[in-house]
Amino acid sequence: MTAELRHLRCFLAIADEGTITHAAARLHMSQPALSRTLRALEDHLGVRLVDRSTHHLELTPGGRVFRDRAAAAVAAVDAALDPAGLTSWPLRLGHTGPALGEHTSELLRRWDRRHPQTPLELLRIDDRTAGLTRGKADIALLRAPFTQPGYVTEQLLTEARFAVVAVDSPLAGRTTLTLADLADEPVAINTVFGTTSLDLWPPTRRPTAVVPVTNTDDWHAAIAAGRAVGVTPASTPRMNAHPAVVYRPLTDAPDIPVLLAWRERGGHPAIPELVTLAREILTQGSEGS
């Protein structure tokens, strides 16, 4: 069998929907036909992609890796066949917020002046790689180490971490906080793209409760209600402050790397210019501070 684009689209629908029934309805095809397509793809790859042992299908480890590859391949084909792309080729910069912080607007302004024929699209995509591994972004601003094979990274800067507590919390009266100060409180953790995990604390002094959230609004809400405390990059209070919480420097937590990541081969030809511009803006900002 030769794998075709339809095999990838069928697999991605199954991965997104979690059931053959819902995926078949989304694709307007019968369930038996979709199951046969999945089996054919697995036979071609020689790898089981989906664990069928439960009612709600789960991707195998190989399936999770292949999902990103399949999504990137489908996105590339769709982009190549988009008629709008024949007149201009936008450069898609993915991020999970707050992009390049206070430097974001300057990045966009200078890019528009220097590269008017190549639109720079700033896309907030809430996943760990800001859409990069799924082909939704050509280059991504990330706030976590990224070592996946086939990609290039360049660290632009590091950000300090801040503790975040409700305005009426006893901790709000402190000028600085430590990880130990937060360890007796539930911690709100963004499980989709957050920069905080329990590994930030020493094994012997970790918070015993976690409040999982999936977006910044719910994270702020949990902290503002006094249900949890949080840890965030220094750019958050500058770019996305919340009136019902306070931000205090976290003195003993490691800084967060801010980096650009892009594919090693076959990427957008304007990526080197964007990397150079980001470097230039941050260097000038540092010299002027």
Side-chain angles (χ1 to χ4, degrees):
M1 181 204 92
T2 300
E4 302 174 358
L5 193 61
R6 64 183 178 87
H7 293 92
L8 303 187
R9 293 193 190 277
C10 287
F11 168 71
L12 290 174
I14 294 170
D16 289 343
E17 299 293 340
T19 70
I20 293 291
T21 301
H22 292 162
R26 169 174 154 182
L27 295 169
H28 304 290
M29 62 188 301
S30 70
Q31 295 179 43
L34 181 56
S35 295
R36 288 194 298 270
T37 302
L38 174 61
R39 284 197 300 271
L41 178 61
E42 290 178 324
D43 290 344
H44 175 75
L45 295 172
V47 174
R48 177 64 65 88
L49 300 174
V50 177
D51 182 358
R52 302 166 177 80
S53 61
T54 61
H55 177 69
H56 183 85
L57 301 182
E58 298 287 344
L59 298 184
T60 64
R64 289 193 291 272
V65 173
F66 186 70
R67 176 184 58 192
D68 287 346
R69 294 183 180 181
V74 170
V77 171
D78 288 344
L81 298 178
D82 183 0
L86 300 178
T87 56
S88 66
W89 186 359
L91 176 59
R92 302 168 299 168
L93 174 59
H95 70 101
T96 58
L100 204 55
E102 63 267 34
H103 304 287
T104 303
S105 59
E106 184 62 21
L107 179 73
L108 296 175
R109 287 176 181 274
R110 291 195 196 184
W111 182 269
D112 290 345
R113 289 197 302 266
R114 298 183 187 183
H115 306 281
Q117 302 306 315
T118 305
L120 178 59
E121 296 181 352
L122 189 65
L123 306 174
R124 175 161 180 167
I125 302 173
D126 290 346
D127 68 38
R128 288 287 177 187
T129 68
L132 181 63
T133 58
R134 297 195 179 194
K136 296 180 180 180
D138 302 301
I139 184 169
L141 275 162
L142 306 177
R143 281 174 170 76
F146 182 69
T147 58
Q148 187 162 324
Y151 292 84
V152 180
T153 63
E154 175 163 334
Q155 183 168 307
L156 299 174
L157 71 156
T158 60
E159 280 191 287
R161 296 181 196 255
F162 274 51
V164 191
V165 300
V167 293
D168 57 353
S169 165
L171 296 175
R174 303 271 295 275
T175 56
T176 63
L177 292 169
T178 66
L179 290 169
D181 293 328
L182 305 180
D184 294 328
E185 304 289 338
V187 177
I189 292 181
N190 187 319
T191 58
V192 176
F193 60 88
T195 57
T196 302
S197 73
L198 291 182
D199 291 337
L200 188 63
W201 282 263
T204 57
R205 195 70 173 91
R206 286 179 177 168
T208 57
V210 169
V211 177
V213 297
T214 59
N215 59 71
T216 303
D217 290 342
D218 291 347
W219 178 82
H220 267 133
I223 298 171
R227 295 178 176 178
V229 297
V231 178
T232 194
S235 55
T236 300
R238 296 195 298 265
M239 304 298 297
N240 195 21
H242 189 288
V245 305
V246 296
Y247 307 85
R248 298 291 182 258
L250 196 55
T251 59
D252 60 346
D255 289 350
I256 298 170
V258 180
L259 53 89
L260 284 169
W262 63 95
R263 295 175 195 83
E264 188 173 13
R265 294 186 177 86
H268 196 291
I271 286 175
E273 284 81 3
L274 181 61
V275 175
T276 299
L277 179 58
R279 218 186 284 130
E280 170 190 311
I281 289 173
L282 291 173
T283 299
Q284 292 176 353
S286 174
E287 291 173 348
S289 61

